[in-house]
Amino acid sequence: MSDTQSTSGAVRLDGKAIAEQVRMELAAEVAEFKAAHPTFRPKLVALQVGERSDSSVYIRQKAKACKEIGVEFEHVQLDEGIQQAELDARVDSINDDPAIHGLLVQLPLPAHLSTRHVVQSIRAEKDVDGFHAENIGWLSKRDGSPYFHPCTPLGCIELLKRYNIAIAGKRAVVIGRSDIVGAPVAMMLTKLDATVTLCHSRTANVEELVRDADILVVAIGQPEFVRADWVKPGAAVVDVGMNAVDDATKKAGFRWVGDVHPGAAAHAGFLTPVPGGVGPMTVAMLLRNVVASAKRHYAAASTVRIVPSVLNLADPVPSDIAIAQAQESALKPIAQLGGELNLAPRELEPHGRHAAKVTLDVLDRLDGMRNGHYVVVTGISPTPLGEGKSTVTVGLAQALYAHLGRAAFACVRQPSQGPTFGIKGGAAGGGYSQVAPMTAMNLHLTGDIHAISAANNLVAAAVDARRFHEATQTDAQLMARLCPPKRGVSQFAAPMLRRLQRLGISKTRPEDLAADEVARFVRLDIDPERIVWRRVLDTNDRFLREITIGEASTERGMSRRTGFDIAVASEIMAVLALTTSLADMRQRLARMVVAMSRAGEPITCDDIGVTGALTVLMKDALSPTLMQTLEGSPVFVHAGPFANIAHGNSSIVADKIALKLVGVPAEPGFVVTEAGFGADIGFEKFVNIKCRASGLVPDVAVIVATVRALKMHGGGPDVVPGKPLADEYTRENLELLERGFANLRRHIENVNKMGLAAIVAINAFATDTQAELELVRTLAREAGAYDAIPTHLWAKGGAGAVELAQAVARCCADKSGAEGFRFLYDDSLSIKEKIETIAKQVYRAASVSYSEEAERKIEQFAANGWSSMPICMAKTQYSFSADPALKGAPEGFDLPIRDIRASLGAGFIYPLCGAMQTLPGLPTRPCFYDIDIDEDTGDIVGLF
């Protein structure tokens, strides 16, 4: 009926008023939810193809309505000629964006596009129009629950409910069977227990059926199709029609009428006006769908699904690789694991079936969300066999996740192929506490270390090439070749403009430079004796430690002595581990110092023009790699600096992403991150370098100890890889154990010195006696440990560390034992003061001595303004001192500093203590003797 006509006794179903009421309710609901959840940001996207004026009007109405209730609205307008594939890609992009909660495509679409295809391409959980086949399908089922009901039918039902019109047990007739209104409203009435008849163009007795209807919904698109005398007295009539009919008396030349004759008002009990009835309700219900979708997405993103994988334990325990291969069929597809963590598909870049890069976009999405608990795993001074720190890191995460039902992430370093094929083996954990697949992790994985090697060696090549070209060309020749004309115009490249700025030259065109400015610009004047950048490779090759390069006749006598480091010792690895974003990584790479000029000026990567290329090589490596443990808990594998010759921790970005992902549940989860080797080096650098750079504060430190290592520190025989252990290590010896406990006591004291509680994880071996384990536990508690707990992670997986996991959870909850996290030294101290603080307070040295070279460099670094950076000590992992043979807890020794380097990109000063090698060598019998491949199955064998 017309809105200008009297309803003559029929109650007016005022859709405009009800819609306004719904909007007010939604605005209050959104505001209340935002107040309780500050990161809640509901968002609707409307996608329009072409520029139809009527479509643009509808979109402006929706944008206005969204703004009124606090929903973000984005209008994506595409060219009318867009092809189907490009439109599909835009829809997929919106589908995959977790910040968008609703997507509607404004209809009609141009004729060359498939409306049905596009509608079905919208993911059902974002289909706020309610048109998707999945939503309609669930609507049709008696016990089905669609994500959304179509908006116009939902508005019809809402009007009936708001006016308290009974539906259950009533006879309802729906005229029109369109997928948008008629069919779904019939299904909705049926589910509300009405007896429904759906009429259409082939229905023979429409008038008869209408006369018997208690509820009548008409959506046929024919002006005044239902005659007034058809309507049953007292019936509720919902007129969905909106038809323009000619009317010369109207200014527009037409008037709006519905599908029901206006005279029906004399018979009906309730009647919607046209316009002002169903129309406003459609937009109101769209808004309701968007808000419901946003809250549903928020609730899902606030829950981490715990889905443990079942371990099939064997006794005796097989080899690591046998365990890994036996469990491989139980591993989750990486997309499933990402879904459990609420990672969006666009945030995952799969590398095969069981690994994926996770983009840093997730940090932007979760910005403002709280962090989970932060647990660092460190250890005592180890034997050459290692004490199972990676095993404890992985097993503790498994225990928290699979046995305590808490969200838990392990963050570990990527293994270098040096130890993998050398002595120590890989770093995926061991036994039933492993990162899987362990073969992928221990070999190439996603190629991050190869990217570092390529980037590092590009810098090395660039340095020597620049030195060569400067020695063989005049200033003019250098200028011509550095800035060659393109289409007759010479230009500076971006890094050249930055170099000019550093030189104080403000000119931006090559031809404007004076002769002296050209000379300053083109000549880095690298001092060959003070080139600090070395080449790297990811292999233990002792014969490349010191080499001579430039021996070919083509280099014209430009030879010099240099050497190789292990790839994970590259400053680029440290940059990767300490960076916080792509922009930050680029800046760090730019300021890496590669050499000094003959005038004593530092020369950086940006000076040689390689910054952009390095960033390109490292772009993919910046994203951490998602993997899983044998029990299905998530793991980030990222970065791999050694702790004895670098800072020894996995990446900041991995820890940050993991902390956000496990921080969303009501009961926050845990991130278990590993610091390399003992607490004197890996943990000290975790605190004073990594936490200083990240701003993160740990909750507790776990110190891994073994009876074997403590006996060695008590004076036991040397532990030599490849040789059987002496009897002292396989038989009970409490006296030897108690003497060696001094090493663990020192590490507990050092952890407490940084203001953290220390929990000792005793990695128990089959040869350890109960008396030995109890002695360590007692002594550790007496020494100030929060707790000390024997674990059996190698043989039992997470089940072997339940008590440890409970202690960690308890400590994180009550914070007892911690006096307040603090750094060991202040940035303002001099380089020597920082070195001596570490040496005397952590190592317990009596003095520090410096070589002439170290003294010279310290003076130079101070003059360059580099004193404020933290210190990264390169020191043996086997002793608190620089002498690996000095076991236990030595005191009163001298710490010799033979050299010192500056890592400006990483952001630390790098003293070398004693005879530290930055490129390990292979032993007499390397691990590679046992590594092979099964030619029939393709399985790797012998990898640990």
Side-chain angles (χ1 to χ4, degrees), residues 50-111:
E51 299 180 357
R52 280 180 56 124
S53 58
D54 54 347
S55 292
S56 297
V57 169
Y58 295 144
I59 286 175
R60 285 196 294 271
Q61 291 173 348
K62 292 166 186 174
K64 181 174 180 292
C66 284
K67 183 178 180 180
E68 289 174 355
I69 70 164
V71 170
E72 184 180 344
F73 183 87
E74 181 180 353
H75 177 200
V76 177
Q77 189 159 23
L78 303 175
D79 185 81
E80 188 167 3
I82 190 172
Q83 295 304 300
Q84 189 75 59
E86 186 179 353
L87 178 57
D88 289 349
R90 294 300 295 267
V91 171
D92 288 344
S93 176
I94 296 170
N95 277 335
D96 290 343
D97 189 340
I100 297 172
H101 308 108
L103 168 61
L104 60 88
V105 175
Q106 188 65 43
L107 302 178
L109 292 171

Side-chain angles (χ1 to χ4, degrees), residues 33 40 72 155 222 243 257 298 300 389 415-416 424 443 447 460 467 517 540 554 563 642 661 665 707 729 804 883 902:
F33 202 82
F40 178 66
E72 184 180 344
Q222 294 186 27
N243 308 287
V257 300
Y298 191 91
K389 190 155 40 57
S416 163
K424 191 172 179 288
L443 296 174
R467 181 170 148 260
E517 291 172 330
N540 290 359
T554 51
F642 286 170
L661 291 174
V707 168
Y729 299 110
L804 174 64
D883 180 1

Side-chain angles (χ1 to χ4, degrees), residues 482-503:
L482 286 171
C483 303
K486 294 181 179 179
R487 298 181 181 177
V489 179
S490 296
Q491 291 182 328
F492 290 118
M496 296 177 182
L497 290 170
R498 293 193 294 271
R499 173 163 167 74
L500 287 168
Q501 287 181 338
R502 288 191 293 274
L503 292 172

Side-chain angles (χ1 to χ4, degrees), residues 455-490:
N456 184 100
N457 294 339
L458 177 61
V459 175
V463 169
D464 285 311
R466 182 60 176 261
R467 181 170 148 260
F468 171 79
H469 291 305
E470 286 189 22
T472 57
Q473 297 179 46
T474 65
D475 292 353
Q477 288 172 327
L478 285 169
M479 189 68 177
R481 288 170 180 164
L482 286 171
C483 303
K486 294 181 179 179
R487 298 181 181 177
V489 179
S490 296

Side-chain angles (χ1 to χ4, degrees), residues 695-781:
L696 298 173
V697 176
D699 293 292
V700 63
V702 174
I703 304 175
V704 179
T706 62
V707 168
R708 175 183 67 194
L710 292 176
K711 286 180 176 179
M712 180 194 71
H713 285 293
D718 287 344
V719 175
V720 180
K723 290 186 178 181
L725 288 172
D727 289 345
E728 286 86 345
Y729 299 110
T730 58
R731 295 179 183 175
E732 185 174 291
N733 191 325
L734 299 179
E735 181 182 354
L736 195 64
L737 179 61
E738 187 165 3
R739 284 203 305 269
F741 180 80
N743 184 271
L744 176 53
R745 179 184 292 109
R746 176 77 57 80
H747 288 295
I748 294 171
E749 292 170 355
N750 284 338
V751 167
N752 292 160
K753 190 185 296 287
M754 314 288 182
L756 283 181
I759 297 176
V760 176
I762 310 166
N763 188 20
F765 296 166
T767 54
D768 298 341
T769 68
Q770 189 62 34
E772 289 174 328
L773 296 174
E774 283 301 321
L775 177 61
V776 177
R777 188 169 197 172
T778 300
L779 293 173
R781 287 171 170 171

Side-chain angles (χ1 to χ4, degrees), residues 530-869:
R530 299 167 75 183
I531 295 174
V532 297
W533 197 267
R534 291 158 63 92
R535 289 162 172 81
V536 300
L537 78 166
D538 198 31
T539 302
N540 290 359
D541 189 346
R542 66 178 70 243
F543 289 95
L544 292 178
R545 290 170 178 168
E546 295 293 337
I547 63 171
T548 301
I549 62 171
E551 292 287 355
S553 60
T554 51
E555 275 60 71
R556 304 178 190 179
M558 298 288 291
S559 64
R560 68 178 182 90
R561 288 189 60 77
T562 182
F564 276 75
D565 294 332
I566 190 78
V568 293
S570 169
E571 184 175 355
I572 297 176
M573 174 62 85
V575 166
L576 176 65
L578 291 169
T579 195
T580 55
S581 67
L582 180 63
D584 179 55
M585 182 174 72
R586 193 182 190 287
Q587 292 168 7
R588 287 174 177 271
L589 294 170
R591 63 177 183 254
M592 292 189 303
V593 173
V594 298
M596 304 297 288
S597 72
R598 288 185 171 88
E601 296 294 324
I603 298 169
T604 66
C605 281
D606 216 36
D607 287 322
I608 61 173
V610 76
T611 302
L614 296 182
T615 308
V616 169
L617 285 171
M618 292 298 298
K619 179 180 73 72
D620 292 337
L622 179 59
S623 299
T625 300
L626 178 66
M627 299 183 76
Q628 63 192 290
T629 68
L630 294 179
E631 295 194 65
S633 59
V635 179
F636 271 141
V637 181
H638 201 215
F642 286 170
N644 53 354
I645 56 177
H647 76 284
N649 284 265
S650 61
S651 75
I652 286 174
V653 293
D655 287 3
K656 283 192 167 185
I657 294 172
L659 283 165
K660 292 297 182 188
L661 291 174
V662 303
V664 296
E667 191 174 33
F670 302 84
V671 170
V672 184
T673 192
E674 179 188 5
F677 292 125
D680 57 323
I681 45 179
F683 172 77
E684 183 272 314
K685 295 168 185 177
F686 168 81
V687 169
N688 293 302
I689 297 177
K690 185 176 181 179
C691 291
R692 200 183 295 263
S694 70
L696 298 173
V697 176
D699 293 292
V700 63
V702 174
I703 304 175
V704 179
T706 62
V707 168
R708 175 183 67 194
L710 292 176
K711 286 180 176 179
M712 180 194 71
H713 285 293
D718 287 344
V719 175
V720 180
K723 290 186 178 181
L725 288 172
D727 289 345
E728 286 86 345
Y729 299 110
T730 58
R731 295 179 183 175
E732 185 174 291
N733 191 325
L734 299 179
E735 181 182 354
L736 195 64
L737 179 61
E738 187 165 3
R739 284 203 305 269
F741 180 80
N743 184 271
L744 176 53
R745 179 184 292 109
R746 176 77 57 80
H747 288 295
I748 294 171
E749 292 170 355
N750 284 338
V751 167
N752 292 160
K753 190 185 296 287
M754 314 288 182
L756 283 181
I759 297 176
V760 176
I762 310 166
N763 188 20
F765 296 166
T767 54
D768 298 341
T769 68
Q770 189 62 34
E772 289 174 328
L773 296 174
E774 283 301 321
L775 177 61
V776 177
R777 188 169 197 172
T778 300
L779 293 173
R781 287 171 170 171
E782 291 174 354
Y786 179 88
D787 207 343
I789 299 161
T791 62
H792 301 84
L793 305 110
W794 180 76
K796 298 180 180 179
V802 170
E803 189 181 350
L804 174 64
Q806 290 169 336
V808 166
R810 190 170 61 251
C811 186
C812 288
D814 61 29
K815 307 281 185 183
S816 52
E819 301 172 8
F821 177 72
R822 54 188 173 273
F823 300 128
L824 185 66
Y825 51 80
D826 191 82
D827 285 335
S828 62
L829 295 181
S830 69
I831 293 173
K832 279 191 173 181
E833 286 172 327
K834 292 172 187 172
I835 291 173
E836 289 167 20
T837 298
I838 297 169
K840 294 177 180 180
Q841 293 195 31
V842 177
Y843 307 157
R844 308 300 203 273
S847 61
V848 180
S849 59
Y850 303 88
S851 69
E852 289 185 8
E853 177 72 1
E855 289 278 12
R856 182 185 65 78
K857 286 185 175 179
I858 289 172
E859 290 182 10
Q860 181 187 81
F861 294 172
N864 290 338
W866 301 344
S867 297
S868 63
M869 293 190 291

Side-chain angles (χ1 to χ4, degrees), residues 381-393:
S381 305
T383 70
L385 301 177
E387 309 318 305
K389 190 155 40 57
S390 297
T391 301
V392 172
T393 300

